[in-house]
Amino acid sequence: MALKQKKFGADAQGYFGDYGGRYVPETLVKALEELKAAYAELKKDKAYQRDLTYYFNHYAGRPTPVYEARNLTRHFGRARIFFKREDLCHTGAHKINNTIGQGLLALKLGKKRIVAETGAGQHGVATATACRVFGLKCVVYMGALDVERQALNVYKMKLLGAEVVPVHSGSKTLKDATNEAIRDWVTNVDTTHYLLGSAVGPHPYPSMVRDFQSVIGKETRAYFLKEHKKLPDYLVACVGGGSNAIGFFHAFLGDRRVKIIGVEASGQGLNTPYHAASMTKGRPGILHGMKSYLLQDKDGQVQLAHSISAGLDYPSVGPQHSFLKDSGRVTYETATDKDALEGFQLLTLTEGIMPALEPSHAIGFLKRLMPKTKKNQRVVVCLSGRGDKDIDTVKKLLHGGNSNSGGHH
């Protein structure tokens, strides 16, 4: 039975059911209202949409291919496995879709300076790239631990002319980088646009980022209807903040027959303190201007997240995912650091594709999903980024290290 896709969207105040909203200091309300109004206007603006399509197609390299992984399919001997190749986008990940959209938006708002946060560095590189092509000043906040883990991306950002500010507070990861980016924005709101990298934060960011990333699901849907005359049976994507997943899922939410699975990082295990499974082990709370599932200790303080993947190392999740979990429309599963490493090796050795550690979680989860599938079914995994940035981490872990190298000890 078809469902009404609209019912999965946000209301006028930015709530997806009980989640989302806008929990921010008074100083940011004007900027968020301005952003909301500008974005609503631009969604209908043909010139803006034309520019967006031009940069998507001719700069980012869209549409990205859908690849049938025949070797991996043979490995499992069940449903046919496909990958949506966001790793082939310019800069190596889906992040460029959002930074192009928001970069063009900043130009329309007359803002000349961009602040951003980044974990794995892919959003930072994509932001620095968009700032170059649109002539904007770029400042990227990044946890000191992530600066160390993602040295290659830090170097790329600097080559692209961005100022990278290491954040030494708290867990020295994405959560703390986000805090600092918001502080900068509060101080410089008249001249600066905050280019938020995931489908998180105060309204209208979760809806806006989802819209820019929804091109992933739209292209996947169009491919299957054209080439296979039917929709896929399963969609699988990794979920940290959840931007690649929500962009991939959105076009299919109204099709109940398509089973949709998000895969969170369970790190060293759900029964240890070292995981990032906010929906599986968290409870509703407020962080970074939104209400969503959040990892908390017994006193309600934010619990540090852990994952070998810097891009999933976040203690909360986009509010639409929280709503989709509660509504039962999307199922959320988990994969450990070890599962992700196995996924990385499996795809590298079967198909000659080195995935980023984020989608490696979705690939690592396949060993549990595939035995439940049938040979006439189709499974599509969103390959959200390529693995170059993670090679040092993988090398360390595969040569006698342990996953604590990416943790908080």
Side-chain angles (χ1 to χ4, degrees):
M1 187 176 73
L3 299 167
K4 282 189 181 170
Q5 193 173 8
K6 198 175 172 186
K7 80 174 199 171
F8 297 107
D11 66 17
Q13 281 71 47
Y15 279 93
F16 302 87
D18 290 336
Y19 304 102
R22 186 186 282 172
Y23 299 84
V24 294
E26 193 62 32
T27 43
L28 289 184
V29 171
K30 182 174 168 236
L32 288 166
E33 278 299 315
E34 182 186 53
L35 181 61
K36 180 182 159 190
Y39 179 59
E41 196 62 37
L42 287 177
K43 277 211 287 191
K44 297 179 284 185
D45 184 314
K46 285 182 181 165
Y48 174 81
Q49 293 299 333
R50 207 164 38 238
D51 284 348
L52 190 62
T53 303
Y54 177 80
Y55 281 100
F56 272 4
N57 293 352
H58 298 275
Y59 189 73
R62 308 208 67 87
T64 58
V66 175
Y67 168 69
E68 180 168 8
R70 292 183 179 150
N71 297 332
L72 192 60
T73 298
R74 272 193 293 277
H75 171 83
F76 286 108
R78 297 294 178 109
R80 292 164 69 181
I81 300 170
F82 296 80
F83 286 97
K84 178 59 172 159
R85 299 289 309 271
E86 293 299 292
D87 60 317
L88 295 179
C89 284
H90 179 45
T91 72
H94 71 292
K95 294 291 186 183
I96 193 77
N97 305 327
N98 175 47
T99 61
I100 285 174
Q102 288 199 51
L104 285 169
L105 184 58
L107 288 181
K108 299 283 182 186
L109 287 167
K111 304 282 174 79
K112 304 286 188 197
R113 180 176 180 268
I114 297 290
V115 292
E117 81 300 325
T118 193
Q122 286 304 109
H123 173 59
V125 171
T127 301
T129 301
C131 285
R132 284 284 57 78
V133 76
F134 299 132
L136 299 161
K137 182 176 168 51
C138 181
V139 179
V140 179
Y141 290 89
M142 190 169 186
L145 182 65
D146 292 336
V147 168
E148 193 182 307
R149 286 197 279 187
Q150 304 290 341
L152 178 63
N153 275 341
V154 172
Y155 184 57
K156 283 184 187 173
M157 283 183 259
K158 289 179 177 173
L159 285 177
L160 287 160
E163 181 189 348
V164 181
V165 183
V167 176
H168 294 276
S169 58
S171 58
K172 303 178 189 174
T173 61
L174 181 58
K175 171 177 74 69
D176 311 287
T178 306
N179 289 339
E180 288 305 313
I182 291 172
R183 279 195 195 102
D184 182 318
W185 190 34
V186 170
T187 311
N188 301 294
V189 69
D190 289 338
T191 59
T192 300
H193 173 66
Y194 178 25
L195 206 164
L196 191 47
S198 193
V200 300
H203 179 59
Y205 280 104
S207 299
M208 192 172 75
V209 175
R210 178 207 60 210
D211 289 350
F212 291 134
Q213 296 295 2
S214 66
V215 66
I216 305 171
K218 285 176 190 164
E219 287 176 4
T220 306
R221 190 182 173 91
Y223 166 84
F224 275 91
L225 288 177
K226 183 178 175 206
E227 300 294 330
H228 299 273
K229 314 296 179 208
K230 60 181 289 198
L231 295 177
D233 299 280
Y234 290 90
L235 303 182
V236 186
C238 64
V239 178
S243 69
N244 90 90
I246 206 70
F248 185 43
F249 298 164
H250 193 62
F252 296 92
L253 291 176
D255 303 292
R256 189 188 284 276
R257 203 184 58 73
V258 181
K259 295 182 181 68
I260 305 180
I261 302 169
V263 181
E264 296 192 289
S266 53
Q268 295 177 20
L270 289 173
N271 294 321
T272 75
Y274 307 113
H275 63 76
S278 56
M279 284 183 285
T280 307
K281 295 290 278 188
R283 60 184 193 276
I286 290 166
L287 181 71
H288 297 148
M290 65 175 177
K291 183 179 178 190
S292 194
Y293 274 96
L294 174 65
L295 294 178
Q296 304 169 59
D297 65 18
K298 59 181 170 46
D299 299 320
Q301 298 297 309
V302 178
Q303 184 183 311
L304 300 185
H306 160 90
S307 171
I308 51 166
S309 162
L312 302 184
D313 198 347
Y314 184 65
S316 190
V317 63
Q320 192 171 3
H321 285 293
S322 293
F323 173 63
L324 291 170
K325 172 190 160 64
D326 284 4
S327 72
R329 177 63 189 96
V330 177
T331 305
Y332 292 90
E333 303 280 356
T334 62
T336 62
D337 290 346
K338 185 168 172 288
D339 294 331
L341 267 179
E342 285 175 10
F344 176 93
Q345 289 175 286
L346 182 61
L347 191 59
T348 301
L349 291 174
T350 54
E351 300 287 349
I353 298 171
M354 286 187 198
L357 282 173
E358 289 85 359
S360 293
H361 286 72
I363 301 157
F365 169 71
L366 290 180
K367 66 185 173 190
R368 292 200 286 284
L369 173 67
M370 296 312 293
K372 299 174 189 165
T373 64
K374 296 173 186 161
K375 286 197 173 187
N376 64 353
Q377 292 183 313
R378 293 167 177 83
V379 174
V380 197
V381 180
C382 184
L383 193 52
S384 56
R386 68 175 185 234
D388 313 33
K389 71 186 177 61
D390 295 317
I391 293 299
D392 286 345
T393 304
V394 170
K395 188 178 170 189
K396 201 180 291 178
L397 294 173
L398 290 181
H399 290 80
N402 62 54
S403 58
N404 284 353
S405 61
H408 310 289
H409 303 277

